[in-house]
Amino acid sequence: MTADTGSQVGPLTPARRPLPRGTLVVAAGAFLLTLAALLPLYVYDRVAPIPASAEFTVAMTDEKAGYLDTSRWAWVEGVEMRRVTRVDATAHGRDWSAWEMVVDTSLPDRMIDHSSRRVIVDRETGRAVNCCGEHVNGDRAVRQAGLVYFWPAGAPAGDYPYYDAEVRSAPPLEFDDWDEVAGLRVGRYTQSVDATQVPDSARPVPAALFAAGAEGTVTATRWLEVTRTFWVEPVTGIVVHAAEQREESLRPRDGRGEVPLLRAELVLEEPQVAANAEQARVRSVLLRALDSWAPAVLGPLGAAAVLVGLVRAWRARDTGSPSGADTPEPTGSGAAREHGRADPAGGGDGPAEPREDVGAEP
């Protein structure tokens, strides 16, 4: 017997049914709508906060400062003074960051002041959190409060407490007006600290500083009066520019009199202003895109895609073809067998008739 090479062995394979018309368009629209909702509600909340880990430096200078040279107790004018704040921030849990801060005030040839502090910063609000070994110059009894350096992203214009580690209080930073720095629209904030005694600043000084001809020493404390100004980009909360007018003096603990210790008008160095402005410009574009621009574009596009897909599906339903096209007839020998026909020779419409000139097999 000869093998039937044209027949299909095993069960018939049904033809693949195409997707209903409009399905892919609806799926694409649903994806765009989901993305439009996730960007402002989920992604923005994870990009906008202050970075958990960072290292940065804030350098302010005055080319014509004055100070009391304590090596010879003489007042010196017109010197270059530099006040540098170094920050080493590391992640502290999911929402906080631990900042180790060092502040050095120096002249070209010497260091005249040094301080350090540790503060835990809430990355969303930018404010200090009383936790986890915070200190100011080793004093762990302090309770820091208010903004540490950065503003919260997207914060409205208004007054904010800002912590001064020297006087250990948080006088308000008052919003003055809108301004422009390096081509950016920024808010200008000012903080005024009235003359305040600096804690733990008592030291022996010559009595002659306060009374001519006096002998011996007296105990004096350091007093600080400062006015700070910050220019802040509102979308990112980045400080683009800063200035500080400082007046420090010595006052005897028991008695009257006052001797100037330091006077300076410090401003943020120009290269750093330019770098801060560029960082704020790039980051503000990203945050605006996540919070408003991208959802405003993706939302309507997704809604339109869903609508178009539903209309196409409805029209296909009205025509009686879910796929929008006629389903092709099955082909091949298997289809022929299904309709009760055999085609051993590759052609013909019915069963093959036996040939008369071929004898039957014995």
Side-chain angles (χ1 to χ4, degrees), residues 122-265:
D122 187 307
R123 296 173 53 214
E124 183 177 352
T125 65
R127 300 195 179 202
V129 179
N130 300 138
C131 176
C132 316
E134 64 172 330
H135 72 84
V136 174
N137 289 327
D139 183 0
R140 300 186 182 277
V142 298
R143 292 296 177 263
Q144 303 176 68
L147 296 178
V148 179
Y149 185 69
F150 293 112
W151 269 241
D159 298 348
Y160 294 88
Y162 185 92
Y163 190 75
D164 187 315
E166 290 182 281
V167 300
R168 303 183 189 178
S169 64
L173 269 164
E174 300 177 352
F175 176 77
D176 289 337
D177 200 355
W178 294 106
D179 210 339
E180 182 175 316
V181 175
L184 289 176
R185 182 174 181 264
V186 293
R188 185 174 68 247
Y189 295 81
T190 302
Q191 181 191 56
S192 296
V193 179
D194 296 332
T196 305
Q197 179 179 318
V198 177
D200 303 325
S201 62
R203 59 185 296 186
V205 300
L209 287 175
F210 306 103
E215 298 181 356
T217 62
V218 297
T219 300
T221 56
R222 183 163 67 99
W223 289 67
L224 172 66
E225 184 176 356
V226 60
T227 299
R228 294 186 177 89
T229 305
F230 294 98
W231 287 265
V232 182
E233 200 286 316
V235 176
T236 62
I238 292 176
V239 176
V240 177
H241 191 26
E244 186 174 296
Q245 296 180 353
R246 299 178 62 88
E247 291 191 10
E248 300 181 17
S249 61
L250 290 174
R251 298 183 184 182
R253 175 176 289 177
D254 301 320
R256 297 183 178 180
E258 181 178 1
V259 174
L261 181 62
L262 183 148
R263 290 176 184 167
E265 295 185 3

Side-chain angles (χ1 to χ4, degrees), residues 26-115:
V26 171
F31 172 77
L32 293 178
L33 288 173
T34 303
L35 192 60
L38 286 177
L39 289 180
L41 299 178
Y42 182 83
V43 179
Y44 177 88
D45 290 343
R46 280 150 181 77
V47 175
I50 298 169
S53 301
E55 291 185 11
F56 63 93
T57 300
V58 180
M60 307 178 73
T61 57
D62 181 4
E63 300 292 336
K64 298 179 180 180
Y67 78 104
L68 181 64
D69 185 350
T70 56
S71 64
R72 51 193 179 94
W73 299 105
W75 181 255
V76 181
E77 285 277 2
V79 296
E80 179 184 353
M81 185 174 295
R82 197 164 187 257
R83 185 177 175 85
V84 179
T85 303
R86 296 178 176 85
V87 178
D88 183 6
T90 56
H92 194 87
R94 188 182 67 177
D95 302 322
W96 295 349
S97 179
W99 287 21
E100 301 288 347
M101 305 178 68
V102 175
V103 182
D104 292 325
T105 303
S106 62
L107 305 174
D109 60 345
R110 74 183 72 176
M111 184 84 65
I112 61 173
D113 190 35
H114 171 85
S115 65

